[in-house]
Amino acid sequence: MDTQNTSRPAAPAQAVSLPVASFTNKSTAIVPIREIGARYRPQIARHLLDLDERDRYLRFGYPATDQQINRYVNSLNFERDQVFGIFNRQLELVAMAHLAYPANFTQAGFAEFGVSVSKHVRGRGYGSRLFERAAIHAVNDGIATLYIHALSENTAMLRIARGAGAVIERSGSESDAHVSLPEATFKTLLDELLADQVGEVDYWIKSEASMMRNFLATVQEVRESVRAGDHRSGT
């Protein structure tokens, strides 16, 4: 599912306008999601390159090669678009969403959503949580319509779209889904602020824990080295 297409038309009249609550349920706060920028390109590349051939096909709509993935990662425009990530305890990026804006998004009024989740963490609702996080950001940015373009066989992605009440139109092997977003409110602004804080605190805690593990590992290596030296010297 390639999110780089920025030629979407305005949403058809039959698009469903969802209440803000659809994007702000309590489960969103349970999964810490962090907005990530350009300095995370290596982690993004590593995450996408770890996808197998089938997953690459579903994510991009074609069997993306390593070179094509690296080109995609290098082309990410963090000044215009938004990228969200979920990290594990080792600070590995295990799921990410790309909210892509057209160059003239203030006039176009839409954005496009793409998501990928590492195989070993699937089944935890990360795709849906990332959609909710991206959607609430789009609401607060004044985006009127959120698009999802996916292969018709990408049942996981279409399930996320249906769960959001999206209108889905199939055209052969591909499907387009669109959701009309509600207007921003004070509550949506607070919800996004809370989500940002949860993501930042979670990442900080994991960073501190990672540094402590590395420190303890270094101490252990020094102790073993000293013991080995004492053994060789016969003391």
Side-chain angles (χ1 to χ4, degrees):
M1 178 172 47
D2 193 348
T3 60
Q4 297 304 300
N5 182 354
T6 58
S7 59
R8 297 288 181 194
Q14 70 268 31
V16 178
S17 181
L18 298 179
V20 175
S22 298
F23 307 120
T24 58
N25 60 49
K26 294 180 181 179
S27 60
T28 305
I30 297 175
V31 180
I33 297 173
R34 191 168 190 262
E35 183 178 332
I36 56 180
R39 72 187 183 96
Y40 290 90
R41 285 189 203 271
Q43 288 96 319
I44 293 171
R46 191 175 305 116
H47 164 70
L48 293 173
L49 289 169
D50 281 345
L51 298 177
D52 62 25
E53 184 176 351
R54 173 67 176 172
D55 291 336
R56 293 184 185 193
Y57 175 64
L58 294 177
R59 170 61 181 84
F60 294 99
Y62 59 91
T65 64
D66 289 359
Q67 183 179 11
Q68 288 170 321
I69 287 177
N70 282 321
R71 188 181 306 124
Y72 163 78
V73 173
N74 291 331
S75 72
L76 287 171
N77 187 337
F78 293 96
E79 296 296 322
R80 183 188 66 207
D81 299 347
Q82 297 295 326
V83 180
F84 302 95
I86 297 175
F87 295 84
N88 64 13
R89 288 184 296 177
Q90 288 72 42
L91 297 181
E92 298 167 336
L93 184 65
V94 295
M96 63 163 285
H98 181 190
L99 185 63
Y101 289 54
N104 62 337
F105 75 91
T106 52
Q107 289 80 27
F110 69 84
E112 191 166 358
F113 173 80
V115 68
S116 56
V117 179
S118 297
K119 192 182 295 290
H120 65 282
V121 295
R122 289 178 192 162
R124 304 181 187 183
Y126 286 176
S128 295
R129 301 292 80 78
L130 283 164
F131 178 84
E132 293 165 3
R133 181 66 185 87
I136 200 66
H137 181 87
V139 166
N140 290 333
D141 249 3
I143 296 299
T145 307
L146 194 57
Y147 279 95
I148 299 173
H149 180 73
L151 296 172
S152 296
E153 60 190 284
N154 192 344
T155 56
M157 187 71 259
L158 295 179
R159 189 182 307 116
I160 292 173
R162 287 194 187 93
V167 174
I168 299 176
E169 299 175 352
R170 294 180 182 269
S171 177
S173 63
E174 299 184 348
S175 295
D176 283 299
H178 53 268
V179 180
S180 288
L181 302 178
E183 294 184 358
T185 65
F186 183 66
K187 182 179 185 303
T188 65
L189 295 172
L190 286 180
D191 285 336
E192 183 166 23
L193 179 62
L194 175 61
D196 285 341
Q197 291 300 312
V198 169
E200 290 296 328
V201 170
D202 173 78
Y203 191 85
W204 177 81
I205 291 174
K206 289 173 178 175
S207 297
E208 293 295 309
S210 178
M211 286 190 292
M212 180 58 69
R213 285 195 298 270
N214 291 336
F215 172 74
L216 293 176
T218 300
V219 170
Q220 184 63 26
E221 289 177 1
V222 170
R223 285 177 176 174
E224 291 177 356
S225 177
V226 170
R227 288 170 182 169
D230 289 345
H231 178 73
R232 285 193 296 269
S233 65
T235 59

